[in-house]
Amino acid sequence: MNFFKNATTSKKWMATAGLVWLLYLVFHLLSLMNFHSGKVAFNDFYQWFAQTPFESIMVVLLIATLSFHVIVAVSRQLKNNVSAGARYKKTYPKAIPRVIAWGGASTLFAFIVFHFIQMKFLIDEVDLYQSIVLMFSNPLMWLIYCLGLFALGAHLHHGLTNVLQTFGLSSKHHHGVAIAIVLVVIGSFISIPVSVIL
């Protein structure tokens, strides 16, 4: 419990857990870009990857780091609520009500859990390409995916601005770099369902 009481230590480990997920996000994005290379290339890559030990290791690592990230975030929030009392009921972060900030994080968490269950248990892993085509032919999946990407973009911007600021970039610069990265990531992800429709 002392770990969660030490704000500096818990913050660093929380950031490390977030970094693990950022690295996975880059890997996931690059592997998904195979979708644009066609059915054979896309299915071959994922069938090969499923046969390696890396997939199981990656799943365990992602579940562990996500659980840790969420536990630390909630613990820190509860501690801040108690220590700051009524003063903490002001908008958080600045200009963003807490319900929106935490609603976005909750939406992202729900999307990650939903997407994991969907991709692990509800699709045809032999023909993943066709499964994705069918998935994004459903308007409801478009809505879920867009909500998930919006939440991801907001959370990614928040995390990146903190990291970039740590490296000494000015407020103007780190916000600009973070927005550019978010737009590239979200634009790349959204290119998959767009290509299905087109």
Side-chain angles (χ1 to χ4, degrees), residues 53-186:
F54 299 113
E55 183 183 34
S56 298
I57 294 169
M58 184 180 69
V59 168
V60 171
L61 180 62
L62 290 175
I63 290 173
T65 52
L66 178 63
S67 301
F68 177 81
H69 193 78
V70 170
I71 290 169
V72 172
V74 172
S75 299
R76 288 181 61 224
Q77 184 66 46
L78 293 174
K79 181 184 174 186
N80 288 341
N81 287 349
V82 171
S83 64
R87 179 169 53 84
Y88 198 77
K89 293 180 181 177
K90 295 179 181 179
T91 56
Y92 176 81
K94 291 179 180 178
I96 301 177
R98 279 195 300 165
V99 67
I100 294 177
W102 281 93
S106 300
T107 300
L108 178 58
F109 179 75
F111 176 71
I112 290 170
V113 172
F114 168 79
H115 191 54
F116 174 78
I117 293 171
Q118 179 188 42
M119 300 310 285
K120 278 307 263 186
F121 306 110
L122 303 178
I123 59 154
D124 179 6
E125 293 188 357
V126 175
D127 194 351
L128 185 58
Y129 184 94
Q130 188 60 32
S131 294
I132 289 177
V133 169
L134 291 174
M135 183 172 70
F136 287 121
S137 298
N138 182 346
L140 178 61
M141 281 309 307
W142 263 87
L143 177 62
I144 293 171
Y145 198 70
C146 286
L147 282 173
L149 286 181
F150 181 78
L152 172 63
H155 201 73
L156 188 58
H157 178 266
H158 167 72
L160 285 171
T161 50
N162 287 339
V163 169
L164 293 168
Q165 189 173 21
T166 300
F167 285 116
L169 292 176
S170 68
S171 177
K172 181 179 179 180
H173 287 133
H174 75 247
H175 277 293
V177 172
I179 289 171
I181 293 172
V182 168
L183 288 176
V184 169
V185 169
I186 301 305

